[in-house]
Amino acid sequence: MDETEMPAILSPNAKQQFLDNAGQPAAGFKLYTYAANTTTPRATFTNRAGSVPNANPVILDARGEAVLYLTPGQVYDYVLRDSNDALIWTRSGVSAESEDTVLRGDLEASDGGSRVGVLQTGNGALAEEILTAYRRVVSPEQSGCLGDGVTDDAAKMQLALDRAEGGVLRLTPGRTYSGTLRVFVNKAY
């Protein structure tokens, strides 16, 4: 396959059958495929490689069927017309993305972590977004502690504790934090 060709994904059924308004095979009907929310024709394909386009409109066979491979990531509008071009129906938002692809895209979005929850255990357990829980795991260095054994890290360590908000303060192995620290808890968790 040429690097410029993108493989297509099979439309939900291997060979789709379309019916007329009476429930009979839509033999000889025309299926127009457009880019979503436009009248710009969008190609479908007769093969998985996406290298052999269907005619647009696709003329349905005697059983009202057609092979339709779609381009991944593209959204289509389908318009079915009879052999005289009378409108039978339209269907918007047709795509070949699998649920895995959609979920992966949702999770990779900038707010993807807000779509995953964490359920804590024990008395007073809370359900919360995973990013909220993850952000409560802090290190002293995130608050400016040097951990060099010389610099007074007390104020920065308190800042790290405050940022943890009842979460986890993870000390970095091999560091020596110096200073006198009175731990102040400003709210109960």
Side-chain angles (χ1 to χ4, degrees), residues 102-117 129-132 135:
V102 173
L103 177 60
R104 186 177 303 115
D106 287 347
L107 293 176
E108 289 173 350
S110 61
D111 66 342
S114 68
R115 300 168 192 255
V116 178
E129 296 173 355
I130 197 163
L131 278 180
T132 302
R135 287 182 180 134

Side-chain angles (χ1 to χ4, degrees), residues 42-176:
R42 173 156 287 157
T44 62
F45 302 91
T46 64
N47 64 340
R48 180 171 172 73
S51 60
V52 181
N54 281 312
N56 197 354
V58 176
I59 307 300
L60 303 179
D61 67 17
R63 293 175 31 119
E65 295 176 333
V67 174
L68 301 169
Y69 285 88
L70 307 179
T71 303
Q74 299 295 313
V75 181
Y76 294 74
D77 287 348
Y78 284 2
V79 176
L80 184 64
R81 295 180 176 274
D82 68 15
S83 58
N84 296 316
D85 271 339
L87 179 65
I88 304 300
W89 53 254
T90 62
R91 171 77 166 108
S92 297
V94 178
S95 73
E97 293 183 312
S98 69
E99 290 298 318
D100 289 347
T101 303
V102 173
L103 177 60
R104 186 177 303 115
D106 287 347
L107 293 176
E108 289 173 350
S110 61
D111 66 342
S114 68
R115 300 168 192 255
V116 178
V118 174
L119 181 58
Q120 300 171 0
T121 59
N123 291 338
L126 300 173
E128 62 185 339
E129 296 173 355
I130 197 163
L131 278 180
T132 302
Y134 178 75
R135 287 182 180 134
R136 284 198 332 263
V137 177
V138 299
S139 73
E141 288 74 21
Q142 289 173 308
S143 296
C145 289
L146 296 180
D148 61 5
V150 176
T151 306
D152 185 344
D153 290 319
K156 301 289 184 176
M157 185 65 76
Q158 182 62 56
L159 182 59
L161 288 167
D162 293 344
R163 285 185 175 173
E165 292 186 31
V168 175
L169 177 64
R170 182 166 294 150
L171 301 177
T172 306
R175 298 286 181 135
T176 302

